[in-house]
Amino acid sequence: MTGTAAPDTGIPDVPKAELHVHLEGTARPALIRRLAARNGVALPAGLFADEETFAWTDFLDFLTTYDLAASVLRTAEDYRDLVHAYLSECAAEGAIYVEMIASPDHARAVGLPEAEHRAGLFAGIDDARTDHGIEGRILVTAIRNLGVEAAERTAREAAALAHPYVVGFNLAGDEAGFPPAPFARAFQVAHDAGLGCTVHAGEHAGPASIREALALPGVRRLSHGVRAVEDPALVARLAEERIVLEVCPTSNVVLGVYEDYAAHPFTRLRDAGVLVTLASDDPPFFGASIGGEYGVARTHFGLQDDALLDITRTALRAGFLDETTRRDLLERLGSAGSAL
Ligand code: ADE
Ligand code: ZN
């Protein structure tokens, strides 16, 4: 023993799990540059503010920059490298399980067939498991601002191309401009195919968006859902029905949903008995990481290691993964292995 203390990274030393991260939004500027060069494509104008930073002003502008960054992803190998890079970062911060939200529409936009897109995603998951012991799964997402028909097509394709790594269906994009209800048929298709369903709601729109989201077939989790706090009856319902929130505190603060961590409703929701998990959303855009969010929960919300472990346990129980893998991961926490 040298007696040298481990450096304090601010990241709690507990196993972590993440249920909400947009895969194309995990690429750091350096990776975007490398892939653009490899593919011989020009970097889109307006993408970067500087070497390390994407350029965007507000949420809708962020979505535009996100699309520009994703446009340099062209091949199965790009998606393999993206998944591997992100899962490697997560493993280095102590994560054991990550659900990545992947968008077939972004692959389609650059002419990459869905079979190749998926081959890359799956290779990244396999290689990260081999290298780091971390598990990853995919949630296919529809983009609400592309419309109802595109969402239904995405759901039908996900249903037809069943694969054990593709475990869920989400709805992302412009939440305030495109409420959930018209997407019911897309969710019915996904739910009927056995995909777990979650939907962005209660972030850029209020409690009404959450009630609409909960009326969609199969929805048992909410991407964000934090603005439920504006409606006490809805908070009670979320607790009663054991709906799980994928909470992304740093994203919420950076996007201005809340002024700072002190104003964030994480503690109020958790104290009311709502099941909460932690996630990074779009890490390099928001200066977030899964380890960093656990650090935020400790520093700003007062959670000690046992409470942080409970968050991981909730995420593993609410994850859309198969029961065998769930049981194995829960055993790594010393917990019994049932779904919620
Ligand atoms: N697409 C990519 N990132 C998103 C986010 N944070 N919210 C909604 N849609 C997204
Ligand atoms: Zn999101």
Side-chain angles (χ1 to χ4, degrees):
M1 294 286 289
T2 63
T4 308
D8 182 7
T9 58
I11 296 176
D13 187 18
V14 298
K16 304 165 188 75
E18 172 167 62
L19 301 181
H20 183 149
V21 62
H22 298 263
L23 178 65
E24 304 84 16
T26 67
R28 297 186 178 283
L31 180 59
I32 293 294
R33 282 197 183 82
R34 182 163 74 75
L35 298 183
R38 184 163 83 185
N39 293 328
V41 298
L43 285 168
L47 184 52
F48 298 122
D50 61 42
E51 276 285 300
E52 304 284 321
T53 317
F54 291 109
W56 57 276
T57 51
D58 56 17
F59 178 63
L60 293 183
D61 189 52
F62 153 74
L63 290 178
T64 302
T65 301
Y66 185 102
D67 292 346
L68 294 178
S71 73
V72 313
L73 297 160
R74 296 291 169 95
T75 68
E77 189 187 8
D78 293 349
Y79 279 95
R80 179 265 168 214
D81 290 354
L82 180 63
V83 168
H84 187 266
Y86 184 62
L87 290 179
S88 300
E89 284 178 22
C90 290
E93 293 188 342
I96 60 173
Y97 179 66
V98 177
E99 289 184 2
M100 293 160 284
I101 302 165
S103 165
D105 287 302
H106 283 83
R108 184 183 298 117
V110 295
L112 182 65
E114 182 54 15
E116 290 183 39
H117 176 222
R118 285 173 165 233
L121 302 177
F122 302 159
I125 290 172
D126 286 335
D127 291 350
R129 182 192 304 107
T130 300
D131 292 347
H132 306 295
I134 189 170
E135 277 297 342
R137 294 291 185 270
I138 299 297
L139 312 184
V140 165
T141 194
I143 311 292
R144 54 214 311 160
N145 32 299
L146 297 182
V148 166
E149 281 184 13
E152 291 175 9
R153 179 180 60 183
T154 299
R156 279 196 307 272
E157 185 180 56
L161 296 177
H163 186 282
Y165 288 176
V166 178
V167 296
F169 186 72
N170 201 331
L171 184 63
D174 176 6
E175 177 186 329
F178 297 81
F183 296 92
R185 259 203 314 268
F187 276 82
Q188 190 69 61
V189 169
H191 180 51
D192 287 350
L195 296 171
C197 293
T198 179
V199 49
H200 281 67
E203 180 196 18
H204 299 286
S209 77
I210 295 176
R211 293 183 189 281
E212 261 189 50
L214 292 175
L216 295 173
V219 171
R220 298 288 305 154
R221 285 180 9 202
L222 294 169
S223 291
H224 300 287
V226 284
R227 287 185 58 190
V229 78
E230 296 165 24
D231 179 342
L234 182 55
V235 172
R237 177 180 167 197
L238 296 182
E240 166 78 22
E241 297 183 8
R242 298 175 68 74
I243 300 296
V244 173
L245 303 191
E246 307 151 10
V247 183
C248 309
T250 298
S251 162
N252 294 157
V253 170
V254 172
L255 286 172
V257 180
Y258 299 103
E259 198 176 332
D260 53 25
Y261 292 119
H264 196 281
F266 181 93
T267 303
R268 278 172 283 159
L269 291 162
R270 182 168 171 270
D271 288 352
V274 177
L275 294 168
V276 289
T277 62
L278 289 165
S280 62
D281 213 4
D282 299 281
F285 287 90
F286 304 148
S289 73
I290 185 56
E293 296 308 284
Y294 275 68
V296 164
R298 181 172 67 189
T299 305
H300 295 277
F301 308 147
L303 271 59
Q304 301 305 312
D305 282 359
D306 56 345
L308 293 172
L309 257 183
D310 260 347
I311 299 267
T312 303
R313 212 171 275 122
T314 298
L316 292 175
R317 291 192 169 132
F320 295 145
L321 68 173
D322 61 279
E323 295 306 322
T324 303
T325 311
R326 188 196 316 281
R327 195 193 54 228
D328 291 350
L329 291 171
L330 281 165
E331 275 176 8
R332 283 162 73 173
L333 306 186
S335 306
S338 59
L340 275 172

